[in-house]
């Protein structure tokens, strides 16, 4: 489903994602020190970039950041592969791309439980979507949530009419009744609820016991080692500031996103944050590998991966632990 540039911009504005890229840029750095950094307009994707700018962390490490907003993770990885982006943020649903060799995870960000399958009023279960039009941003955590829900219900994608569309388009398509359901995430769901008050959440990643859904920062498959260390150090310092100042981090993310603080706070409520020391420990003891193995096994079941790779083939844990020790 396509929409005009005008409609796209209107939808972005309605979801709080329209913003000035320059607002988060820092001065400083020199030749080769500018990093083009992609993110998604939510708390997970924006908070560390907002903190790094506010705290002067890019300049501290001799870098200049040029943040660029994207509608999902797969588009960022495509931009990495074409040389139009240096780093990006992805949700768990896009981890199959690094796992297939298309990018490198340089840092784990959070565990997120913000993904849902939603349905129009009158549909109260995932089974109720059988034969219905269900919108999904392909290759994202929205598709992941839909796949998980279908598997739990003993169904497959063949049982629904899958309609591929980007996340902002889902907001408008659901509101106008063009689709019956969607695999999507917060905070966009809050926007949908305002437009369709009787909307139902028929499946949630919060309802899957024992599952962990990591979000991550990625670079091109073959990155710049020296710059990678500096960037990861910035992310680590911003991460620890966020862990120590959760309310302030929400305010900074809201400022960057030009969004209501209450909505950003609600979005942050679906996130499990960890300090850098905790992430280093979980990298060393194999916990992060277990998270990534779990995701890879899921992507094998969905056919997005032929086989589950070793996490070390796409997560640079050594980079993360060495940056923390600097």
């Amino acid at each position: 489903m396509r929409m005009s540039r005008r409609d796209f911009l209107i939808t972005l504005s309605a979801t709080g994602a329209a913003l000035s890229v320059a607002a988060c840029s820092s001065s400083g750095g020199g030749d080769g020190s500018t990093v083009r950094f992609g993110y998604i307009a939510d708390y997970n994707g924006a908070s560390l970039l907002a903190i790094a700018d506010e705290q002067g962390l890019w300049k501290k490490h001799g870098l200049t950041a040029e943040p660029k907003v994207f509608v999902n993770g797969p588009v960022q990885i495509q931009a990495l592969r074409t040389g139009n982006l240096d780093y990006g943020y992805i949700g768990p649903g896009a981890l199959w791309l690094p796992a297939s060799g298309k990018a490198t995870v340089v840092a784990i960000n959070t565990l997120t439980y913000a993904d849902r399958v939603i349905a129009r009023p009158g549909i109260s279960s995932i089974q109720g979507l059988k034969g219905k039009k269900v919108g999904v941003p392909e290759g994202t955590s929205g598709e992941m949530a839909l796949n998980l829900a279908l598997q739990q219900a003993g169904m497959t994608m063949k049982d629904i009419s899958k309609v591929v569309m980007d996340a902002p388009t889902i907001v408008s398509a659901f509101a106008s009744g063009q689709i019956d359901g969607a695999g999507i995430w917060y905070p966009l769901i809050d926007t949908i609820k305002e437009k369709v008050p009787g909307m139902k959440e028929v499946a949630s990643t919060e309802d899957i016991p024992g599952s962990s859904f990591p979000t991550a920062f990625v670079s091109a498959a073959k990155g710049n080692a020296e710059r990678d260390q500096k960037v990861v150090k910035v992310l680590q310092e911003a991460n620890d500031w966020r862990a120590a100042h959760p309310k302030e981090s929400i305010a900074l993310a809201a400022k960057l996103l030009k969004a209501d603080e209450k909505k950003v706070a609600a979005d942050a409520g679906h996130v499990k944050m960890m300090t850098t020391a905790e992430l280093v420990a979980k990298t060393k003891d194999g916990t992060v590998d277990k998270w990534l193995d779990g995701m890879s096994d899921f992507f094998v079941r969905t056919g997005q991966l032929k086989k589950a790779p070793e996490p070390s083939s796409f997560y640079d844990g050594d980079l993360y632990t060495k940056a923390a020790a600097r």
Side-chain angles (χ1 to χ4, degrees):
M1 179 176 179
R2 296 182 176 274
M3 66 175 177
S4 69
R5 175 179 172 81
R6 177 179 176 274
D7 288 342
F8 177 73
L9 292 174
I10 289 173
T11 303
L12 276 182
S13 178
T15 58
L19 50 91
S20 168
V21 166
C24 192
S25 295
S26 300
S27 60
D31 292 342
S33 67
T34 299
V35 292
R36 299 162 298 173
F37 212 121
Y39 69 103
I40 297 170
D42 59 19
Y43 180 77
N44 269 321
S47 55
L48 293 195
L49 298 185
I51 291 165
D53 183 67
E54 180 73 15
Q55 296 295 309
L57 299 180
W58 297 112
K59 186 175 182 180
K60 174 183 175 181
H61 292 282
L63 299 170
T64 300
E66 290 183 356
K68 300 175 184 292
V69 68
F70 289 80
V71 295
N72 62 46
V75 177
Q76 291 177 69
I77 290 180
Q78 182 180 2
L80 288 172
R81 289 171 61 78
T82 57
N84 294 311
L85 198 66
D86 301 309
Y87 300 90
Y89 159 81
I90 62 172
L95 279 168
W96 65 280
L97 289 162
S100 59
K102 294 180 172 60
T104 297
V105 173
V106 296
I108 298 297
N109 180 25
T110 64
L111 297 179
T112 183
Y113 300 91
D115 298 286
R116 304 285 187 273
V117 178
I118 63 172
R120 296 197 64 75
I123 301 174
S124 58
S125 68
I126 190 72
Q127 291 88 347
L129 288 172
K130 189 171 184 178
K132 304 287 188 181
K133 293 181 180 179
V134 181
V136 62
E138 201 164 39
T140 70
S141 58
E143 184 175 39
M144 175 196 75
L146 179 58
N147 264 312
L148 284 166
L150 290 170
Q151 288 175 12
Q152 283 192 316
M155 300 166 65
T156 71
M157 285 287 185
K158 294 180 180 179
D159 291 308
I160 63 170
S161 177
K162 175 182 170 182
V163 184
V164 177
M165 54 181 65
D166 62 35
T169 308
I170 284 176
V171 176
S172 56
F174 193 94
S176 63
Q178 296 177 55
I179 54 176
D180 305 292
I184 196 66
W185 53 82
Y186 281 96
L188 292 179
I189 293 173
D190 281 327
T191 302
I192 293 171
K193 284 180 178 178
E194 292 175 357
K195 298 174 180 294
V196 187
M199 181 213 84
K200 301 290 185 182
E201 293 184 13
V202 297
S204 166
T205 48
E206 288 183 333
D207 298 333
I208 303 174
S211 296
S212 298
F213 302 102
T215 69
F217 295 101
V218 293
S219 70
K222 293 182 179 180
N224 178 317
E226 182 179 355
R227 187 181 63 187
D228 286 350
Q229 278 235 332
K230 291 180 180 180
V231 169
V232 171
K233 190 66 177 179
V234 169
L235 294 172
Q236 289 174 340
E237 292 181 5
N239 179 60
D240 286 337
W241 192 94
R242 179 177 66 183
H245 306 86
K247 290 184 178 179
E248 293 91 333
S249 73
I250 288 169
L252 289 178
K255 181 180 177 182
L256 169 61
L257 298 172
K258 300 188 185 304
D260 182 86
E261 280 191 34
K262 290 182 179 179
K263 289 186 178 180
V264 177
D267 182 23
H270 300 293
V271 172
K272 179 182 178 181
M273 290 179 281
M274 295 158 281
T275 65
T276 297
E278 289 173 322
L279 286 168
V280 167
K282 291 180 186 300
T283 295
K284 290 180 176 179
D285 70 13
T287 300
V288 173
D289 282 0
K290 289 180 181 178
W291 295 341
L292 298 175
D293 278 336
M295 295 305 305
S296 292
D297 289 342
F298 165 73
F299 294 130
V300 170
R301 294 197 303 273
T302 63
Q304 289 163 290
L305 290 177
K306 291 183 178 179
K307 63 178 181 178
E310 288 294 323
S312 60
S313 70
F314 64 97
Y315 170 49
D316 197 340
D318 287 342
L319 168 66
Y320 192 83
T321 55
K322 288 177 181 177
R326 286 179 62 191

